[in-house]
């Protein structure tokens, strides 16, 4: 059902200027009407853009700022001020037309009569259904009603009630429509029967010509299916007689060239060559540009070919090819030429003409797939693989899995492209064939060829190559193709520096026993190890060094030592340091002595650590810019382990003024502090203070609150209660763990009790007892509570 929906979409008025947009739907399709009206004449011009038209209208009125640019779904509208007015630019996004609305329809039937670009009222119709402006017509009896000049349509004759005059469905018009429908449904025998019957029943019908026309057309269709000579000659005779009758009364009919063509072909088939040539001459003289003339020329050329007059026939084919405006007719002529060139073994010329059809009209090839495949097969046999493949591809693209051409066109396309210049396409089509026809007689051959072909294919991506090589490694284990794939995979991965992928193939490479591939594997391991070593990916580098025995080839031995140390490979670290303590570079030698001291300590070789430390210090004294601090620090640790505390403190003094070792120094101070505190040595106070001071300098709190408590305990022991109390209060302002907070509260309460201030101690004791987590310090606070309560 057709219906119309209409509503005001947008409207803006500016003094005398009015701009409005109306929108509606017609048969479910939206359309938009833009109106531009003014008291003064406007100037509207149109131009074509790449996609749609653009309209520019100049209005001689000052632009109001309320008019804003709009980007609507169907058009983009913008306003641009000028000194004498403004310009509105309308850019429709779909098909559109502009009309001068000053042209009044009741004055003229032609709404396009006024072409002027000046008017007080313009309308722009934006509608993707504006196909009524298309002036092309479909050949044949059925065609859409068109209004190329937008004239008001007429419904034809009306009766006294102003209703269209109807016809009886059983009259000649109904019969004509029935014949037409049967022809379209290819019921040609029914058409002949009904048309003959209609001509007898309605001898004066205005459709008499159409009855005869469809009868001739149907005979022409049926004669192509007939195989009996006598029947063919009889039908030819009928066609010739009926065509003469039709042409006698329809000389100006647009189907006249078609009947001339059918008549000529019937004469040729009946060996009436003179009559056929006479008809052809009429067509070429009076209807030179008609498609049916070109078809007649092709038909006549076919007759010349059958008589062996190939050169004459080729001239006719070429004339059609280069003069016809019908691409299908030109394609047919081209194919006829191809057949002749192939019969003459002029293969390159044949390929050129096929290429013309493939490029200009590939759909023609599928009109007769059998014939096209024959041509392609002949080209293929004569080594014109690329051209043959083009035909196979067109046929394949138009085929489906269950028709008679799909399998053969796909197989021949793949196997033909293998021998042409497009191996990539060959691989793709062979792969498709393998997937869709896995169990036929060609499967194994196609699969192996496809796999082997891959190594010679250009333009394959790296990922595709890797995937295919790995697939072949699994598929052809122990076979030659697997070895080729392994070599290709290793070389490609090496070029792309995908060293891990190569190492994953270790066992296969070892079994291959090919020196260049083995060298690539070892080089990959070394490159990876050096990369891991630089990034301090210690587990990875140590693993590679162990597996491929490449320690001596690692570039940065210092970082390798650190990795051994971090992964607790102390023996390997010791061996590496020991091997390098005689490094010719004296600065490096000092570093190796530092490392040797550190690893001796880790191996509990404390005497050896002390010895190597002194060697480092001695050598560093002779080498500018060298630093034996690390060796001295680990000498300090070793002396602590040997309970030689006095010597250890001397070692610390030796590095206290060194810059750049703050972290190592604070760790050593912490160790000295804990050692002294455990031994009840008064130096615990000094070292705890050093830890706290250096921690403040480094802006860290790693060693708190333990260092704080040790320092506070020593302050209390030395009766420096005020400083101790301040230190505790500072701790209480921090976010302490429950047990550390309990310890701090107990300590400050104890200081207050020792100064006979039980009331001052009470709040700290109570807070301590309110801590949820139990600890030894909370238990001590409970004892303090009993003591305070008893005072």
């Amino acid at each position: 059902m057709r219906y119309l929906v209409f509503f005001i979409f947008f409207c803006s008025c500016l003094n005398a200027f009015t701009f409005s947009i109306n929108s509606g739907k017609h048969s479910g399709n939206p359309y938009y009407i833009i109106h531009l009206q003014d008291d003064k004449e406007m100037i509207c011009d149109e131009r074509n853009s790449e996609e749609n038209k653009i309209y520019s209208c100049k209005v001689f009125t000052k632009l109001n700022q309320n008019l804003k640019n709009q980007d609507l779904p169907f058009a983009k509208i913008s306003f641009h001020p000028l000194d004498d007015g403004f310009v509105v630019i309308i850019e429709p996004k779909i098909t559109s037309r502009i009309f001068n609305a000053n042209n009044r329809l009741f004055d003229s039937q032609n709404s396009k009569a006024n072409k002027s670009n000046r008017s007080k009222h313009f309308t722009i119709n934006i509608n993707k259904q504006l196909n009524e402006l298309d002036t092309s017509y479909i050949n044949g009896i059925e065609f859409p009603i068109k209004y190329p000049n937008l004239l008001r349509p007429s419904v034809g004759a009306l009766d006294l009630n102003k209703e269209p005059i109807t016809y009886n469905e059983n009259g000649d018009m109904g019969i004509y429509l029935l014949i037409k429908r049967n022809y379209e449904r290819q019921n040609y025998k029914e058409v002949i029967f009904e048309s003959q019957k209609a001509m007898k029943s309605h001898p004066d019908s205005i459709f008499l010509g159409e009855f005869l026309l469809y009868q001739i057309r149907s005979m022409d269709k049926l004669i192509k299916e007939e195989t009996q000579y006598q029947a063919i000659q009889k039908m030819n005779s009928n066609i010739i007689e009926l065509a003469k009758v039709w042409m006698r009364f329809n000389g100006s009919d647009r189907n006249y060239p078609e009947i001339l063509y059918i008549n000529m072909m019937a004469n040729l088939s009946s060996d009436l060559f003179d009559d056929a040539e006479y008809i052809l001459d009429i067509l070429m003289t009076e209807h030179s540009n008609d498609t049916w003339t070109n078809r007649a020329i092709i038909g006549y050329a076919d007759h010349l070919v059958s008589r062996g007059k190939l050169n004459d026939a080729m001239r006719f084919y070429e004339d059609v090819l280069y003069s016809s405006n019908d691409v299908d007719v030109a394609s047919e002529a081209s194919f006829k030429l191809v057949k002749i060139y192939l019969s003459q073994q002029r293969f390159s010329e044949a390929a050129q003409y096929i290429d013309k059809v493939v490029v200009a009209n590939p759909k023609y090839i599928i009109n007769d797939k059998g014939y096209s495949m024959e041509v392609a097969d002949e080209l293929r046999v004569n080594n014109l693989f690329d051209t043959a493949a083009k035909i196979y591809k067109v046929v394949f693209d138009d085929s489906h899995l269950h028709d008679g051409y799909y399998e053969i066109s796909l197989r021949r396309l793949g196997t033909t492209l293998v021998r042409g210049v497009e191996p990539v396409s060959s691989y793709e089509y062979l792969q498709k064939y393998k997937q869709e026809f896995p169990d036929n007689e060609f499967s194994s051959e196609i699969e192996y060829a496809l796999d082997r072909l891959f190594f010679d294919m250009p333009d394959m991506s790296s990922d595709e190559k890797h995937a295919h090589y790995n697939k072949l490694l699994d598929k052809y284990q122990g076979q030659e193709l697997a070895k080729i794939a392994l070599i290709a995979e290793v070389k490609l991965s090496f070029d792309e520096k995908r060293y891990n992928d190569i190492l994953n193939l270790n066992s296969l490479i070892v079994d291959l026993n090919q020196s260049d591939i083995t060298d690539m594997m070892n080089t990959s391991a070394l490159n990876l190890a050096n990369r891991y070593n630089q990034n301090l990916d210690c587990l990875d580098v140590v693993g590679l060094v162990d597996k491929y025995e490449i320690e001596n080839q690692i570039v940065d031995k210092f970082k390798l030592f650190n990795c051994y140390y971090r992964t607790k490979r102390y023996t390997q670290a010791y061996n590496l340091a020991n091997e390098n303590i005689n490094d010719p570079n004296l600065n490096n030698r000092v570093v190796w002595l530092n490392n040797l001291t550190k690893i001796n300590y880790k191996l509990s070789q404390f005497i050896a650590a002390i010895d190597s430390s002194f060697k480092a210090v001695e050598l560093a004294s002779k080498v500018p810019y060298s630093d034996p601090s690390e060796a001295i620090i680990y000498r300090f640790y070793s002396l602590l382990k040997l309970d030689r505390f006095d010597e250890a403190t001397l070692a610390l003094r030796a590095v206290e003024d060194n810059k750049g070792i703050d972290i190592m120094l604070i760790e050593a101070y912490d160790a000295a502090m804990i050692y002294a505190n455990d031994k009840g040595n008064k130096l615990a106070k000094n070292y705890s203070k050093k830890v706290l001071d250096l921690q403040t300098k480094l802006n860290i709190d790693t060693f708190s609150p333990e260092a704080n408590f040790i320092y506070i305990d020593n302050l209390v022991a030395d009766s420096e209660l005020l400083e101790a109390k301040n230190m505790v209060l500072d701790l209480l302002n921090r976010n302490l763990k429950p047990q550390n907070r309990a310890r701090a509260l107990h300590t400050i309460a104890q200081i207050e009790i020792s100064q006979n201030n039980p009331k001052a101690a009470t709040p700290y004791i109570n807070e301590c007892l309110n801590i949820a987590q139990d600890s030894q310090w909370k238990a001590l606070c409970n004892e303090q509570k009993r003591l305070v309560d008893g005072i």
Side-chain angles (χ1 to χ4, degrees), residues 29 41 237 298 397 508 518 520 650 660:
N29 296 307
E41 281 194 340
S237 178
I298 291 176
D397 288 342
L508 294 176
T518 302
M520 286 184 184
L650 291 175

Side-chain angles (χ1 to χ4, degrees), residues 205-367:
S205 171
I206 61 172
F207 294 104
L208 194 62
E210 277 68 24
F211 296 154
L212 193 54
L213 173 66
Y214 277 104
Q215 187 175 344
I216 296 170
R217 283 175 171 171
S218 297
M219 288 182 177
D220 181 57
K221 295 292 185 182
L222 289 174
I223 202 171
K224 294 178 174 63
E225 302 172 2
E226 186 59 65
T227 57
Q228 297 295 322
Y229 177 78
Q230 294 297 333
I232 291 173
Q233 293 306 313
K234 183 177 180 180
M235 291 181 72
N236 281 330
S237 178
N238 289 336
I239 289 174
I240 292 170
E241 292 303 319
L242 292 175
K244 289 179 180 178
V245 173
W246 187 91
M247 289 188 294
R248 188 179 305 127
F249 298 103
N250 298 278
S252 61
D253 193 285
R254 61 184 178 138
N255 297 302
Y256 196 82
E258 178 187 358
I259 298 303
L260 283 173
Y261 160 77
I262 295 173
N263 193 5
M264 189 204 79
M265 295 303 296
N267 277 280
L268 280 178
S269 181
S270 300
D271 296 332
L272 301 173
F273 304 127
D274 291 340
D275 290 345
E277 290 175 355
Y278 172 72
I279 296 171
L280 179 62
D281 184 63
I282 294 175
L283 281 166
M284 296 176 67
T285 303
E286 300 179 9
H287 306 280
S288 58
N289 296 323
D290 197 276
T291 297
W292 291 107
T293 299
N294 288 319
R295 292 188 184 278
I297 294 172
I298 291 176
Y300 185 73
D302 292 342
H303 160 68
L304 294 177
V305 169
S306 67
R307 297 177 62 185
K309 297 182 179 181
L310 299 183
N311 291 334
D312 292 338
M314 291 173 70
R315 283 195 295 272
F316 278 112
Y317 291 140
E318 288 175 350
D319 286 344
V320 173
L321 173 62
Y322 295 111
S323 65
S324 176
N325 294 323
D326 188 315
V327 68
D328 287 334
V329 173
S331 298
E332 183 179 356
S334 183
F335 256 73
K336 301 286 187 180
L337 286 167
V338 167
K339 203 66 175 176
I340 294 175
Y341 282 129
L342 290 175
S343 69
Q344 296 175 339
Q345 297 189 337
R346 296 165 66 181
F347 304 121
S348 59
E349 289 97 327
Q352 291 175 5
Y353 283 103
I354 284 292
D355 286 338
K356 292 179 186 296
V357 178
V358 171
V359 172
N361 189 23
K363 291 182 179 179
Y364 177 80
I365 292 174
I366 62 177
N367 288 340

Side-chain angles (χ1 to χ4, degrees), residues 328-441:
D328 287 334
V329 173
S331 298
E332 183 179 356
S334 183
F335 256 73
K336 301 286 187 180
L337 286 167
V338 167
K339 203 66 175 176
I340 294 175
Y341 282 129
L342 290 175
S343 69
Q344 296 175 339
Q345 297 189 337
R346 296 165 66 181
F347 304 121
S348 59
E349 289 97 327
Q352 291 175 5
Y353 283 103
I354 284 292
D355 286 338
K356 292 179 186 296
V357 178
V358 171
V359 172
N361 189 23
K363 291 182 179 179
Y364 177 80
I365 292 174
I366 62 177
N367 288 340
D368 189 344
K369 292 182 181 179
Y371 176 67
S372 297
M373 290 290 286
E374 288 177 12
V375 173
D377 291 343
E378 194 164 352
L379 291 171
R380 185 174 189 250
V381 168
N382 290 286
N383 299 325
L384 292 169
F385 303 114
D386 296 322
T387 305
K390 292 176 182 178
I391 300 176
Y392 291 136
K393 185 176 187 306
V394 173
V395 173
F396 171 71
D397 288 342
D398 189 64
S399 301
H400 55 82
L401 188 59
H402 302 293
D403 72 10
Y405 293 99
Y406 185 87
E407 184 273 338
I408 189 171
S409 62
L410 176 58
R411 172 161 48 85
R412 289 184 181 171
L413 174 59
T415 55
T416 303
L417 284 172
V418 169
R419 305 172 69 182
V421 297
E422 297 185 26
V424 173
S425 298
S426 171
Y427 178 83
E428 293 170 354
Y429 289 116
L430 287 171
Q431 182 73 23
K432 184 177 182 66
Y433 185 91
K434 184 189 71 171
Q435 293 172 351
E436 296 181 356
F437 302 97
D439 299 317
N440 67 9
E441 57 184 310

